Amino acid sequence: MRVLALGPVLLALSACQLFRPADSIEAHPDVTTITIILEAGESEARLLAVHPHRPQNAEAPRITAVLKGPGWTATFSAQPDPERCAYTSPVQNWPGPARCYAASLPEAVRASQSYGIRGTAPLGSFTGSMATPAPPMIEDPADGLQLTAGENEFSVAIPLEYRKNPDIGTLMAHADYWEIQGDGSEVGLFGLYPQVLDGVVADTVHHIHGGPLAHRLELRLLGIGWHYTNFVAEFSEFPLPQPWPDFGIEGEGVYGYFDGLTPSSTVEIRVVRTGSRWILRNTLPADRH
């Protein structure tokens, strides 16, 4: 298991992993990085476009893009705040000016469904295609598991067993979680999620539990396709010479990835601490929020 530094809800990588540095040779200022991940179950698509070879104060990329689904198309429009694209790329330290684009979809993104994209960037046209993965499945633990943290334990190990299809290249565990107060109310917390799962059928998530109160987790798996996975692996070394590989998007002066993410169903897990007076007083589960 590895912890991945992520943006809100989904994923983001460090800027050095996502974008090719401004090489001193053949670093055309109009080269555009395009990153897009469609999440199964969501009715909005977001796309981030960056000029990685321009200074931060330069104009961000102006592109056109149309997403093609089963029997429909949806047009992307520029958004005033690039942080709307936080889950497709890092929010901070972009190596160049960035612009976020969004498209409202006529239906929610489906698992195991093919999608296409076409558009224009400053140096020419681009196209792409991908298929969202089939959903991963949590086989263990079952919904309703309760774990106990020792009085001096800072984290709790949560063993996982799961199934995933070969169309998943990257598997992550994500959890929304809350601290249960003495009156039964809940306060949302933030921690080291998602966490990358390296095991083929099993791995362990480490949940941070620093206080005396119980936590309630809603844990799910996130399966991402191979375009994203291969892009991350390829861009671990610089510079990446032309011709740039195809990671779901190809075009003149364009590189990046186009991929899909499919979540599993959710299981609820409670973590209580040994010796907690609150746990002894409160035996009924708190209401879900």
Side-chain angles (χ1 to χ4, degrees):
M1 177 277 296
R2 292 173 286 121
V3 174
L4 185 65
L6 302 175
V9 182
L10 295 180
L11 68 156
L13 295 168
S14 66
C16 64
Q17 286 176 298
L18 277 173
F19 303 113
R20 187 182 182 202
D23 307 315
S24 59
I25 301 175
E26 296 182 351
H28 196 292
D30 286 336
V31 164
T32 305
T33 299
I34 292 177
T35 60
I36 174 173
I37 290 180
L38 301 182
E39 182 181 0
E42 295 295 318
S43 298
E44 184 181 64
R46 299 178 189 177
L47 178 156
L48 186 72
V50 182
H51 276 322
H53 302 330
R54 285 188 178 275
Q56 291 285 358
N57 60 355
E59 184 181 13
R62 294 189 180 276
I63 69 167
T64 66
V66 175
L67 184 70
K68 183 179 184 301
W72 54 261
T73 59
T75 301
F76 286 89
S77 59
Q79 305 299 302
D81 185 358
E83 292 192 8
R84 284 200 68 191
C85 286
Y87 74 77
T88 64
S89 278
V91 178
Q92 299 178 344
N93 300 320
W94 284 322
R99 195 184 306 274
C100 178
Y101 292 81
S104 296
L105 311 182
E107 64 175 9
V109 175
R110 305 179 196 173
S112 303
Q113 176 66 53
S114 296
Y115 294 89
I117 192 170
R118 67 176 187 274
T120 60
L123 293 179
S125 61
F126 64 90
T127 60
S129 62
M130 66 86 185
T132 51
M137 297 182 62
I138 299 176
E139 295 194 316
D140 192 70
D143 191 47
L145 173 69
Q146 179 165 299
L147 297 174
T148 300
E151 191 169 358
N152 298 315
E153 288 182 339
F154 182 69
S155 68
V156 179
I158 305 176
L160 295 178
E161 295 181 9
Y162 44 78
R163 281 189 291 152
K164 60 176 181 174
N165 280 9
D167 58 359
I168 292 177
T170 298
L171 186 67
M172 297 185 289
H174 180 72
D176 298 314
Y177 68 102
W178 298 263
E179 184 179 72
I180 305 174
Q181 307 301 298
D183 61 1
S185 63
E186 298 181 345
V187 175
L189 300 175
F190 299 93
L192 296 178
Y193 294 102
Q195 297 179 22
V196 177
L197 303 175
D198 294 316
V200 176
V201 296
D203 209 330
T204 301
V205 170
H206 295 277
H207 175 72
I208 304 300
H209 194 286
L213 301 182
H215 287 183
R216 182 175 68 84
L217 290 73
E218 293 183 354
L219 180 74
R220 64 187 183 276
L221 303 182
L222 308 176
I224 311 173
W226 283 98
H227 288 160
Y228 165 87
T229 303
N230 291 335
F231 183 93
V232 172
E234 188 73 40
F235 274 68
S236 61
E237 296 182 3
F238 297 118
L240 182 65
Q242 296 190 48
W244 295 313
D246 174 19
F247 302 108
I249 288 182
E250 57 183 356
E252 184 64 30
V254 170
Y255 72 96
Y257 57 80
F258 176 37
D259 213 336
L261 178 153
T262 304
S264 71
S265 57
T266 300
V267 297
E268 181 177 275
I269 299 172
R270 288 175 181 258
V271 181
V272 300
R273 185 172 293 284
T274 301
S276 170
R277 294 174 59 190
W278 182 91
I279 297 169
L280 296 176
R281 292 199 312 269
N282 295 269
T283 57
L284 296 177
D287 292 336
R288 298 192 182 190
H289 290 262

